[in-house]
Amino acid sequence: MSYFGGKIAVVTGATTGVGEGIAEELFQRGATVIITGRQLSSAAQTAWRIDPTGQRIIPMEADVRNHLSVKALIDNTVAQFGGLHMLVNNAGITGPHGVNICDYSIDDWNDVINTDLSGTFFGLKYGIPAILQSGGGAIVNLSSSNGIVGIPGIAPYTAAKHGVLGLTRSAALEFADKGVRINAVGPGYVDTPNMQTLPAEVREWMANTHPMKRMATREEVAKAVAFLLSDESSFTTGSFYAVDGGYTAQ
């Protein structure tokens, strides 16, 4: 298992779910991890749960829809901790489900695209220079199994996650010889605390969409992210790493 002692990482949207699992994995490997949420109080609660000492899980408020908020996040991280080595653009929302394109509201479209796609762009725009100035590092963008297939009823989310792959590949090529590796992870359904509140029949349906007949755990996604951030994947950039139980192999 790779050790990240002395490394500074930022994980956006890490107050719960997959982002929280990623932050905890990086923390366990020795990194100092800045976690973000739209409300500082939520980020602070998560930080305290993972690291009651408050020394290596640091909550910061950030709204990835706002480029100035993302710039401030990166600037504050560098100012307080002296650099940035790893960035996980995780913050995202799915938006309303089961709504066809003709009925999808403009406000909901904008919210999904601004969060999932523009938020990733802002992370790259401001994060890459900071990583370069810190001597190089790695970025992982959270796409989805929906990043390479379509699902009816959530077109904005599907479009955004396809777009995340485009950003990942373009940025990876632009910085391949400059010391910053950029990859994307594509989870299927993940058994997060929010998923566990759904009716049993819905959870069963989600599990059965994967050939492995179960959902991923947060830990499985987090370990894939940590691998792509580590030197163990030192010749990997511009890739899409599926963590979907065979979903996109069908």
Side-chain angles (χ1 to χ4, degrees):
M1 182 175 75
S2 296
Y3 183 63
F4 295 144
K7 300 295 186 182
I8 309 300
V10 167
V11 183
T12 64
T15 59
T16 187
V18 171
E20 181 183 10
I22 293 168
E24 186 161 9
E25 180 72 21
L26 301 185
F27 169 79
Q28 290 174 352
R29 294 175 184 239
T32 296
V33 187
I34 290 81
I35 64 171
T36 79
R38 292 182 186 177
Q39 285 84 39
L40 182 60
S41 58
S42 297
Q45 289 175 2
T46 300
W48 182 87
R49 187 195 67 76
I50 299 173
D51 177 23
T53 71
Q55 295 179 350
R56 287 198 296 110
I57 293 285
I58 312 300
M60 289 191 186
E61 183 176 327
D63 184 345
V64 301
R65 299 172 299 181
N66 183 330
H67 75 99
L68 293 178
S69 181
V70 178
K71 183 179 186 300
L73 164 67
I74 300 301
D75 289 347
N76 290 337
T77 296
V78 172
Q80 291 184 40
F81 300 99
L84 176 66
H85 308 102
M86 299 181 289
L87 170 64
V88 182
N89 288 309
N90 168 78
I93 59 173
T94 59
H97 288 244
V99 182
N100 70 44
I101 289 172
C102 298
D103 295 330
Y104 224 96
S105 78
I106 300 300
D107 287 343
D108 287 334
W109 164 269
N110 287 336
D111 199 24
V112 173
I113 296 300
N114 290 341
T115 304
D116 297 14
L117 185 55
S118 295
T120 300
F121 167 70
F122 298 149
L124 294 170
K125 176 176 176 62
Y126 298 115
I128 290 172
I131 292 173
L132 287 170
Q133 291 170 8
S134 303
I139 296 173
V140 174
N141 299 323
L142 265 290
S143 181
S144 167
S145 56
N146 290 95
I148 59 173
V149 300
I151 291 182
I154 52 171
Y157 177 76
T158 303
K161 292 304 184 181
H162 275 70
V164 166
L165 290 188
L167 284 173
T168 299
R169 289 166 176 153
S170 292
L173 293 174
E174 290 172 2
F175 294 92
D177 61 349
K178 296 178 175 63
V180 182
R181 296 183 303 102
I182 305 163
N183 294 286
V185 166
Y189 291 114
V190 183
D191 195 15
T192 63
N194 283 342
M195 288 290 199
Q196 292 165 14
T197 66
L198 297 174
E201 61 271 19
V202 175
R203 288 169 46 79
E204 183 179 5
W205 172 82
M206 288 177 169
N208 287 333
T209 62
H210 309 106
M212 292 181 72
K213 303 304 180 185
R214 66 175 179 86
M215 288 190 271
T217 67
R218 291 195 297 182
E219 292 75 17
E220 287 170 324
V221 178
K223 288 181 186 302
V225 171
F227 167 72
L228 291 171
L229 291 172
S230 77
D231 290 339
E232 293 175 6
S233 63
S234 56
F235 199 58
T236 302
T237 196
S239 76
F240 172 77
Y241 196 100
V243 188
D244 63 5
Y247 181 91
T248 54
Q250 300 178 99

